[in-house]
Amino acid sequence: MAGSSHGHTPAAWTGVIIAFIGFCAAGLFMVADSPVGFWAGCAVIALGAVVGGAMKVAGMGTPKEPAAVVEARARAAAREGAAA
């Protein structure tokens, strides 16, 4: 995992931060006995997922590997399996 940059992108960080704010707000309003505030916090959590996904589609997420890299990795794995 250390070499994969899993989740270390602007899209991931933004989505998680927005969802965390919504989670904190929903928790606060649940304790404060405010159903409207609670559901607003839940909406912010969903908004975090939407914003993160939109940023990923816009190119701010983890880039996909080219097909040539995927094929080369598959051939290397097949060679290692045949050699063992």
Side-chain angles (χ1 to χ4, degrees):
M1 265 309 182
S4 71
S5 78
H6 174 76
H8 299 285
T9 64
W13 278 102
T14 303
V16 167
I17 289 170
I18 292 171
F20 180 71
I21 291 169
F23 177 79
C24 290
L28 176 74
F29 285 115
M30 184 179 359
V31 172
D33 194 28
S34 174
V36 174
F38 169 76
W39 288 111
C42 289
V44 172
I45 293 171
L47 179 68
V50 171
V51 169
M55 288 178 70
K56 181 178 177 184
V57 169
M60 293 184 224
T62 305
K64 295 195 183 280
E65 292 181 328
V69 173
V70 174
E71 288 177 24
R73 185 176 291 123
R75 283 194 305 267
R79 275 194 302 256
E80 287 179 11

